[in-house]
Amino acid sequence: MTHTSSTPTHHKNERTFVIIKPDGIQRTLIGEIIGRYERIGLKLVGMKLMIPTADMVRQHYTLDAGWMQAVGEKSIKGFVDKGQIPPTTDPLAIANDILNRLEKYLTSGPVIAMVWQGAHAVKIVRKITGGTEPLTSDVGTIRGDYVLDSYQMSEIDNRSIRNLVHASGTVKEAEDEIKHWFKDEELVDYSIISDEILYAPDMKDILG
Ligand code: ATP
Ligand code: MG
């Protein structure tokens, strides 16, 4: 059997980090969510069920120094794009609020932390997951198909957007988040038969 070489830089070895948030578990969507990442050809290399501490959550969202500014700006844009007035025009003030709400949201019950591996894992998982606000997430994505929340509703109720999953936004974010949630020995390096058909340069072994 031809075995493809696995150089660390090959796209097929890219890893990303995903959390099924407490609402995903309460909505009994674990299987649906995992199934979507699995069926595209990604390989699960790490998984655990836990109730995160407040510190774990706050550190997770502030691993990237630019996240506060970015999440604030994105939220303001979410209002402006719909012709609505944002609660404030200061991105960092909004971000602070969002972080406090995220702390409550993600410590409210068990979550599942996972690491998925495969070609372009970060971008593929973001595509399948969909945009942050379920109201505007594309149909066919997890956030677009299984939940119906909006910035307007989360603002009225002073809570996080409930969008079922977290997924790393960049390869660097993924590396930092994987280190934050998993020890090296909790990640499993193994072969899966479907890797052959996805990544082997030729498919000559199919016929006997
Ligand atoms: P995630 O990081 O969870 O995968 P994302 O990258 O699409 O989601 P971020 O901008 O990183 O979105 O925001 C992190 C999370 O914070 C969102 O998934 C959502 O649960 C919550 N959130 C973001 N903006 C708001 C907001 N304006 N109001 C309430 N909650 C928000
Ligand atoms: Mg994010």
Side-chain angles (χ1 to χ4, degrees), residues 122-199:
V122 171
K123 279 197 177 142
I124 292 280
V125 162
R126 289 287 277 198
K127 183 178 75 163
I128 295 172
T129 301
T132 308
E133 186 194 27
L135 177 64
T136 56
S137 312
D138 289 336
V139 171
T141 64
I142 294 168
R143 289 167 171 173
D145 285 357
Y146 294 118
V147 67
L148 39 65
D149 206 4
S150 68
Y151 286 131
Q152 269 174 298
M153 284 209 300
S154 70
E155 210 46 55
I156 290 170
D157 295 334
N158 194 29
R159 59 166 175 75
S160 265
I161 285 269
R162 291 184 187 138
N163 54 10
L164 305 171
V165 282
H166 159 79
S168 308
T170 63
V171 172
K172 166 80 170 70
E173 196 174 291
E175 283 167 5
D176 292 344
E177 291 177 353
I178 290 167
K179 270 196 219 117
H180 179 60
W181 292 87
F182 285 90
K183 298 186 189 111
D184 273 354
E185 61 269 27
E186 290 174 324
L187 300 175
V188 184
D189 194 13
Y190 64 100
S191 295
I192 190 166
I193 204 75
S194 58
D195 281 352
E196 273 302 308
I197 204 70
L198 288 168
Y199 305 126

Side-chain angles (χ1 to χ4, degrees), residues 25-123:
I25 293 185
Q26 296 303 317
R27 298 269 318 280
T28 63
L29 289 171
I30 298 170
E32 289 289 339
I33 291 167
I34 290 180
R36 291 209 169 196
Y37 300 132
E38 195 178 31
R39 76 184 185 188
I40 201 164
L42 293 171
K43 177 164 71 178
L44 186 62
V45 296
M47 175 153 89
K48 53 184 163 186
L49 176 83
M50 69 175 94
I51 302 173
T53 62
D55 277 352
M56 280 295 277
V57 173
R58 293 191 89 83
Q59 283 163 19
H60 164 85
Y61 279 107
T62 49
L63 286 169
D64 169 10
W67 178 82
M68 296 283 280
Q69 183 73 19
V71 74
E73 285 173 6
K74 188 164 73 174
S75 305
I76 291 170
K77 190 171 181 299
F79 284 98
V80 172
D81 284 354
K82 297 189 202 87
Q84 295 155 0
I85 299 166
T88 142
T89 52
D90 176 3
L92 287 179
I94 293 201
N96 233 338
D97 233 26
I98 291 172
L99 191 56
N100 289 333
R101 296 176 194 184
L102 278 167
E103 183 188 311
K104 263 199 206 158
Y105 175 28
L106 287 176
T107 58
S108 64
V111 305
I112 292 177
M114 298 180 282
V115 179
W116 288 91
Q117 180 172 320
H120 306 286
V122 171
K123 279 197 177 142

